[in-house]
Amino acid sequence: MASSTMRRLTKQLGAISMALALAACTGTPGPSPSSSTSSPAAEPTATFNFGTASMPLGLDPAMTADSESYRVTRQVLEGLVGVDGGTGQTTALLATEWKDSNNGLTYDFTLRPNVTFHDGTVFDAASVCANFNRWFTFPAELRKQVPGISFQGVFKAYSDEPVFSIFKDCKVVSPGNVQINLTRPFTGFLQALTLPAFSISSPKALETGTANVLDQTRNGQAVSAYSGHPVGTGPYQFSTWDEQKITLATNKGYWGNKGQIATINFIPYDRAETRQQALLDGKIDAYDLVTPGTFDELVKRGVQIIQRDPFSVMYLGMNQAVAPLEKLEVRQAIEMAIDKETLIRRFFIDNTAQASQFVPPKLSGFNNNAPSLGYNPDKAKELLAKAGYKGEELKFYYPQNATRAYLPTPEKIYAEISRQLVAVGLNIKPVPVPWESGYLQKVQSPGDHALHLLGWNGSYADADNFLGPLFGESRGEFGYADSEVFHKIERARALPNGDDRNTQYQAINAEIAASVPAVPIAFPISALALSDKVESYPASPVLNEVFTNVRLKP
């Protein structure tokens, strides 16, 4: 009974958090948000130890969409705009006012005055344009090294193919005013700017750290020197990164609320059990990604648990560039072989929902009637026979030593999915890859991965944030090249919010589901565990959790 009650209570907290976050992401941007933020009288003094599932893959947010990387860089760097969970509006960060004109092709931003980067250089319009121009001119060789760069997912192309890019240019109007011009309308432009990928770095630090030269390796990833020492305007500045932890220190010159925490230590524990024990032993003050196997024990011990409502999708990826996955019948057979109910019951937190598409149900564009083949192993065998499957080996990649909001226990999930696939006659070869040995790069690049486990965590409440990055262009992850779907996504993202746009995304959802480029399995619920030291934590479904908003007990 105690467990059931706690789950209901934490679910309610998660629902409240989700409602605020979604309202914040979908609200019409106010033309003139408040530019003032009150600061507490006392300087922060507390040290806060936070347990993470792994080390970041790098700390240059323009180069990685890894959630553990974003967790750190959200503290250090800021973008032009953010999300206010209290008012539900796109809110001021480094810009205090904005307006659009020219039929949605021109955006003018008034910048916050008297802001400096952590290295002492001045934040102004020139620094904003330096960042946008850096992203726009990423060289082709760099883009090959780092698949899945957010700039391409949002703006579609770079300066070497300007006709295809939504971004046109960034202009310095004055030191305190900057103008960003687009080549065509993009309804989610302001929301997209809330992505950590579009945080503003110190141009001096980018140059000093040769940010576009990936001549170092960290956790299996090619990174630059800047990626190991980011410099922004945020409430915390980077201090150290060693094998045991990443440390951030309060930015004493921060323009906004500095909160109560002076020092943050992000300490990795690659297994849920070790994170749990570290919390119980008092080594950490909070940790993320509570798993079903540890949930009940934490409840019994009276540990605070906060759940986030689902805003991610976990899926089984399929690479159509690897035979015989180019055959629709084989992909359909794989979908029919998977018992999603069993997977969710065994490996996900209660109330996790099955997925039949890639857009979560709380978003506009979710299609209640998206086609789903369901669990039918006998039919799967028939389809494999019809497709002429002769037992060809399928390499199945899955991550080790990782926990993500969308993938709580990857090794166990792999084992169960693999068992289900073998049961219908598929020849599965396991390919385990440690997360920190380049798993993301391996499965998101062209290669021999036939199947792989992964997921997508939404960053803002728009169907395009899910469909655009995954299926809006040809990607090495899926070998998917449906130009008609690409065109439809491109058209939908330019439509104004309303019924027509929602209908377009619903139709796209159905079309993607019918062609089975991947199998969506679950919309997972994720949870954090907090020590008694914590009074409140700003849990967010989109993971926009800045530690100045953590409240500690007196």
Side-chain angles (χ1 to χ4, degrees):
M1 179 61 75
S3 174
S4 175
T5 301
M6 176 59 77
R7 290 182 187 225
R8 286 198 300 271
L9 288 172
T10 53
K11 178 65 176 174
Q12 291 167 1
L13 287 170
I16 292 169
S17 171
M18 184 63 173
L20 290 173
L22 292 185
C25 290
T26 55
T28 303
S32 182
S34 170
S35 61
S36 64
T37 304
S38 60
S39 298
E43 289 291 316
T45 58
T47 295
F48 195 75
N49 296 321
F50 190 91
T52 66
S54 67
M55 279 290 190
L57 297 180
L59 295 179
D60 180 353
M63 294 285 190
T64 177
D66 172 57
S67 58
E68 293 299 349
S69 302
Y70 279 176
R71 191 193 303 280
V72 177
T73 61
R74 285 184 193 276
Q75 321 302 323
V76 176
L77 299 116
E78 298 172 305
L80 293 177
V81 294
V83 172
D84 186 323
T87 66
Q89 297 292 317
T90 301
T91 191
L93 274 180
L94 292 178
T96 59
E97 296 180 357
W98 51 86
K99 64 179 180 179
D100 69 273
S101 57
N102 191 21
N103 296 316
L105 297 180
T106 296
Y107 288 79
D108 288 283
F109 296 89
T110 301
L111 303 182
R112 188 175 296 280
N114 304 317
V115 174
T116 58
F117 291 101
H118 300 151
D119 59 7
T121 57
V122 175
F123 165 75
D124 57 12
S127 60
V128 173
C129 286
N131 278 265
F132 272 90
N133 291 334
R134 177 206 175 202
W135 306 326
F136 186 45
T137 59
F138 275 152
E141 189 59 36
L142 176 77
R143 281 136 48 186
K144 290 179 183 177
Q145 290 178 277
V146 188
I149 292 176
S150 292
F151 185 89
Q152 181 164 345
V154 171
F155 294 104
K156 295 305 173 188
Y158 299 90
S159 58
D160 53 359
E161 294 182 311
V163 69
F164 299 115
S165 181
I166 292 174
F167 177 81
K168 182 180 181 181
D169 59 36
C170 179
K171 293 183 177 180
V172 175
V173 178
S174 70
N177 295 272
V178 68
Q179 183 181 92
I180 298 174
N181 295 294
L182 309 180
T183 61
R184 50 193 184 273
F186 174 29
T187 301
F189 172 66
L190 283 169
Q191 292 171 302
L193 289 188
T194 67
L195 287 168
F198 303 124
S199 299
I200 306 300
S201 294
S202 158
K204 178 183 177 181
L206 290 172
E207 181 179 1
T208 302
T210 55
N212 287 2
V213 180
L214 310 187
D215 56 356
Q216 301 182 17
T217 301
R218 191 185 285 269
N219 297 329
Q221 307 294 309
V223 298
S224 67
Y226 177 77
S227 188
H229 193 135
V231 179
T233 61
Y236 297 96
Q237 56 190 61
F238 178 85
S239 182
T240 60
W241 183 355
D242 58 35
E243 293 182 358
Q244 281 73 44
K245 65 182 183 297
I246 290 175
T247 300
L248 308 181
T250 189
N251 172 13
K252 295 182 179 179
Y254 185 55
W255 58 265
N257 175 26
K258 298 177 188 176
Q260 298 173 269
I261 297 170
T263 303
I264 310 171
N265 294 310
F266 293 102
I267 307 171
Y269 299 88
D270 60 12
R271 298 200 174 274
E273 294 79 9
T274 55
R275 292 195 295 278
Q276 175 192 31
Q277 195 58 49
L279 183 75
L280 297 175
D281 290 345
K283 295 179 180 178
I284 56 177
D285 302 304
Y287 76 85
D288 201 358
L289 306 179
V290 175
T291 58
T294 59
F295 194 108
D296 288 343
E297 179 63 23
L298 290 169
V299 169
K300 290 176 183 177
R301 289 175 174 261
V303 173
Q304 300 181 73
I305 298 176
I306 296 180
Q307 293 182 218
R308 305 181 185 95
D309 256 18
F311 204 63
S312 64
V313 59
M314 177 258 166
Y315 59 80
L316 173 69
M318 294 185 280
N319 183 4
Q320 294 180 38
V322 174
L325 294 176
E326 78 282 2
K327 297 179 180 179
L328 176 60
E329 293 92 344
V330 174
R331 301 196 304 276
Q332 289 175 329
I334 289 172
E335 179 178 356
M336 290 184 178
I338 296 176
D339 182 356
K340 299 178 185 179
E341 181 180 351
T342 293
L343 289 166
I344 290 171
R345 185 179 68 251
R346 292 184 181 177
F347 307 121
F348 293 87
I349 290 174
D350 283 359
N351 299 313
T352 290
Q354 286 191 38
S356 61
Q357 58 194 288
F358 291 85
V359 174
K362 290 188 179 288
L363 286 187
S364 298
F366 177 81
N367 188 339
N368 286 312
N369 299 311
S372 176
L373 299 176
Y375 175 53
N376 191 336
D378 290 335
K379 181 65 175 178
K381 293 175 184 177
E382 293 176 11
L383 284 173
L384 289 175
K386 180 181 177 182
Y389 177 69
K390 304 297 184 183
E392 295 94 331
E393 181 180 86
L394 298 175
K395 292 183 178 179
F396 190 160
Y397 281 59
Y398 64 95
Q400 292 179 307
N401 307 326
T403 305
R404 289 298 180 269
Y406 51 75
L407 198 59
T409 51
E411 293 95 339
K412 293 178 181 179
I413 293 171
Y414 159 77
E416 178 58 25
I417 292 178
S418 178
R419 184 194 66 77
Q420 294 173 5
L421 297 179
V422 169
V424 300
L426 289 160
N427 179 9
I428 300 299
K429 180 180 180 180
V431 183
V433 179
W435 182 266
E436 295 182 1
S437 295
Y439 179 78
L440 273 179
Q441 186 164 14
K442 285 180 170 62
V443 300
Q444 291 182 333
S445 303
D448 64 354
H449 52 92
L451 306 171
H452 66 277
L453 291 181
L454 204 57
W456 180 262
N457 200 91
S459 298
Y460 58 93
D462 191 326
D464 185 71
N465 183 229
F466 286 81
L467 298 184
L470 293 174
F471 304 112
E473 60 190 0
S474 181
R475 289 165 52 92
E477 181 177 357
F478 303 117
Y480 176 73
D482 191 327
S483 58
E484 186 175 342
V485 168
F486 297 165
H487 175 74
K488 289 179 179 178
I489 291 175
E490 181 73 9
R491 178 178 180 274
R493 72 203 313 256
L495 294 174
N497 285 320
D499 292 341
D500 188 21
R501 192 169 190 261
N502 292 343
T503 299
Q504 291 292 323
Y505 277 117
Q506 288 169 355
I508 294 166
N509 264 329
E511 195 165 340
I512 292 172
S515 65
V516 201
V519 181
I521 292 173
F523 295 121
I525 292 172
S526 63
L528 304 107
L530 311 174
S531 74
D532 289 339
K533 175 179 178 178
V534 182
E535 183 175 285
S536 66
Y537 180 93
S540 164
V542 297
L543 306 182
N544 185 19
E545 299 167 356
V546 180
F547 282 43
T548 51
N549 295 321
V550 174
R551 293 290 170 259
L552 304 177
K553 294 179 182 178

